[in-house]
Amino acid sequence: MNLTPLPAFQDNYLWLLHDGPSALVVDPGDAEVVLSGLRQAALRLEAILVTHHHADHTGGVAALREATGAVVYGPAGEPLPEPCERVAGGDQVTALGLKFEVIDVPGHTAGHVAYYCADAGGSPLLFCGDTLFSGGCGRLFEGTPAQMLHSLDRLAALPEDTRVCCAHEYTLSNLRFARAVEPGNEKLIHYQQACEQLRARGTPTLPSTVSREREVNPFLRTREPAVRRAVLACAGAVDGDDEAAVFGALREWKNRFR
Ligand SMILES: [Zn+2]
Ligand SMILES: [Zn+2]
């Protein structure tokens, strides 16, 4: 199995997975980027997986389907170009001979889903769209802090070596914020240095792993005493025993952070 992040727009990655001549792509916001990736490697597109309805994830879906005949899978209850096989948490999608488990991860959008493959010929694979980023998480456009916290808890509970394929290269700016939250986190300091070197060479920082994110991502660490203390020091009127309120205050802090 070959996994390639195709860069698109400012900072999107359209994840292309292929085995032999058959390929699938996740969240193709731009059809031309995918078509040229397919041409270069002489691949045939078999399936398109969509995590949520935002245009930078769906803009190329209709053109790609027309050009390739690929089957489109997308979340039930979100506006998507038809025809589309609608999926929801607990469903299974089979593509490239692999089984992908659909996980409901509301928060960034109301119907956002993630796709998890336990047996991808190597460590497991997670396509999580705009829910989990390396060092951060998506903005809460349609969901509540409690929903997003629950969604991230589900992803953080996946096997530690799971490859986390996020839809944006936001890592460096996320890690600047993470350092403000947890200045004493040694693993975070080392990870930030490694990512700065990767980006200086124009190399993606992704995929990340579940174990890495559990060590460095403040949005997976809101129950750590140091993270909770930092949030409470920054946002006065928050009940420190209310996990969703602490998470929401952390997200608000990130929204204001420059
Ligand atoms: Zn989005
Ligand atoms: Zn996006």
Side-chain angles (χ1 to χ4, degrees):
M1 276 297 160
N2 290 283
L3 179 66
T4 312
L6 302 174
F9 310 119
Q10 287 275 79
D11 47 35
N12 285 68
Y13 290 129
L14 319 183
W15 289 94
L16 187 69
L17 183 68
H18 67 94
D19 183 22
S22 297
L24 72 76
V25 69
V26 184
D27 288 351
D30 184 330
E32 204 39 59
V33 168
V34 179
L35 288 170
S36 97
L38 294 169
R39 272 195 300 271
Q40 271 172 31
L43 300 173
R44 185 176 47 77
L45 193 65
E46 182 181 313
I48 298 170
L49 307 184
V50 177
T51 63
H52 69 293
H53 68 84
H54 287 158
D56 61 315
H57 298 250
T58 58
V61 168
L64 265 183
R65 190 191 49 236
E66 271 162 39
T68 65
V71 183
V72 183
Y73 299 91
E78 296 221 341
L80 295 173
E82 296 291 348
C84 172
E85 301 279 329
R86 300 295 182 152
V87 298
D91 288 348
Q92 239 181 32
V93 170
T94 302
L96 309 182
L98 301 174
K99 286 187 173 37
F100 291 85
E101 182 193 333
V102 179
I103 305 173
D104 282 327
V105 285
H108 177 67
T109 64
H112 200 304
V113 297
Y115 298 89
Y116 171 72
C117 179
D119 185 12
S123 44
L125 271 176
L126 174 69
F127 296 110
C128 51
D130 287 355
T131 297
L132 174 61
F133 297 122
S134 187
C137 75
R139 283 177 183 262
L140 303 182
F141 287 124
E142 298 175 11
T144 65
Q147 282 178 320
M148 188 60 142
L149 178 60
H150 184 251
S151 296
L152 292 174
D153 281 344
R154 292 206 57 187
L155 301 184
L158 293 172
E160 293 207 327
D161 61 340
T162 300
R163 289 172 280 175
V164 178
C165 304
C166 318
H168 291 269
E169 179 62 68
Y170 289 158
T171 310
L172 289 186
S173 71
N174 285 339
L175 295 181
R176 272 197 302 278
F177 174 68
R179 289 288 307 278
V181 178
E182 268 193 297
N185 182 335
E186 291 284 334
K187 289 187 167 140
L188 173 55
I189 293 167
H190 291 135
Y191 181 53
Q192 184 184 35
Q193 287 166 351
C195 288
E196 278 169 355
Q197 286 170 11
L198 287 172
R199 294 311 294 149
R201 296 198 297 270
T203 305
T205 59
L206 303 169
S208 183
T209 61
V210 164
S211 61
R212 157 77 39 72
E213 294 310 311
R214 291 175 60 137
E215 288 169 353
V216 305
N217 189 327
F219 293 93
L220 302 187
R221 298 171 58 78
T222 51
R223 298 174 186 96
E224 292 288 322
V227 173
R228 197 174 54 173
R229 270 198 306 275
V231 171
L232 295 180
C234 185
V238 171
D239 175 1
D241 294 326
D242 181 340
E243 291 182 345
V246 171
F247 180 87
L250 179 67
R251 185 58 255 187
E252 290 283 321
W253 180 9
K254 172 72 162 66
N255 293 348
R256 294 191 308 268
F257 186 78
R258 290 290 174 272

